[in-house]
Amino acid sequence: MKITILQQNIAWAEPEVNCSHAGKMISENPGSDIYVLPEMFSTGFAVNPKGIAESNGYSLRWMTRTAKATGAVIAGSVATEENGKYYNRFYFVKPDGKYTKYDKRHLFTYGGEDKEFTAGDERVVVEWKGLRILLEVCYDLRFPVWSRNRGDYDIIIYVANWPASRKAAWDTLLRARAIENQCFFGGSEPCGCR
């Protein structure tokens, strides 16, 4: 399986610009089975989702079209509004248009994400090409019990918007989750975080 981790500079609150840029990077790197975009790839990471979170599904429709066009999975998180609540939602979109969603469980309390967003409560494992993949978002990385391998996955994919000042923690924790769970991992974050 070939997984391409896409890192991009994100234009603040500009889904059309960010989706276009991500599409260009995907077309410049053909042949992957999965393309992984950063956390809130279409808007930039926001702890205050008002005016940024999508209720119209623009980014999900773009992900669906791109998955179909490339024959690959498109994965990344989007600030989403649904029924008056906000979610940091990780979409795993397959080429046939079907998708799985995972709502970030561990909201970043130090930044205030928990004040506006609703935490998910489901552990989500999706299958693709014979492999089982655990979906996680950013701060979930700091909670090893949440990602404990129960024999139910082969790979963890983290999408994040990790700050540059915590680069050492990001690198160390990614490796720790892989070692303790005896699995592969992939982690994507925007360019500006490094």
Side-chain angles (χ1 to χ4, degrees), residues 57-70:
Y58 177 86
S59 296
L60 178 58
R61 286 192 309 278
W62 173 84
M63 293 171 82
T64 303
R65 285 191 311 271
T66 305
K68 183 177 181 181
T70 60

Side-chain angles (χ1 to χ4, degrees), residues 5-10 36-39 41 138 158-164 166-167 170-171 174 186-194:
I5 305 295
L6 299 169
Q7 295 178 297
Q8 66 185 71
N9 289 315
I10 298 173
V36 182
L37 296 156
E39 179 181 23
F41 77 92
C138 200
Y158 287 98
V159 295
N161 201 320
W162 209 270
R166 293 188 181 94
K167 177 191 181 318
W170 166 256
D171 292 341
L174 279 174
S188 178
E189 62 176 353
C191 292
C193 292
R194 295 301 202 148

Side-chain angles (χ1 to χ4, degrees), residues 25-114:
M25 289 190 305
I26 289 168
S27 68
E28 291 171 351
N29 295 281
S32 282
D33 298 296
I34 302 175
Y35 292 94
V36 182
L37 296 156
E39 179 181 23
M40 294 191 196
F41 77 92
S42 62
T43 58
F45 180 76
V47 293
N48 186 350
K50 293 178 181 83
I52 290 178
E54 295 184 14
S55 58
N56 64 1
Y58 177 86
S59 296
L60 178 58
R61 286 192 309 278
W62 173 84
M63 293 171 82
T64 303
R65 285 191 311 271
T66 305
K68 183 177 181 181
T70 60
V73 164
I74 307 298
S77 95
V78 177
T80 304
E81 181 182 0
E82 183 178 280
N83 299 322
K85 293 183 179 181
Y86 298 105
Y87 300 92
N88 186 341
R89 184 163 285 165
F90 185 157
Y91 289 111
F92 188 92
V93 184
K94 295 180 178 178
D96 64 3
K98 294 180 182 169
Y99 66 89
T100 302
K101 65 182 181 182
Y102 163 70
D103 292 329
K104 184 178 181 179
R105 170 71 171 104
H106 298 95
L107 301 174
F108 188 59
T109 53
Y110 299 109
E113 186 181 18
D114 62 317

Side-chain angles (χ1 to χ4, degrees), residues 145-165:
V145 172
W146 187 246
S147 61
R148 181 158 297 142
N149 195 339
R150 303 171 189 156
D152 59 343
Y153 69 84
D154 308 297
I155 301 170
I156 304 174
I157 294 180
Y158 287 98
V159 295
N161 201 320
W162 209 270
S165 62

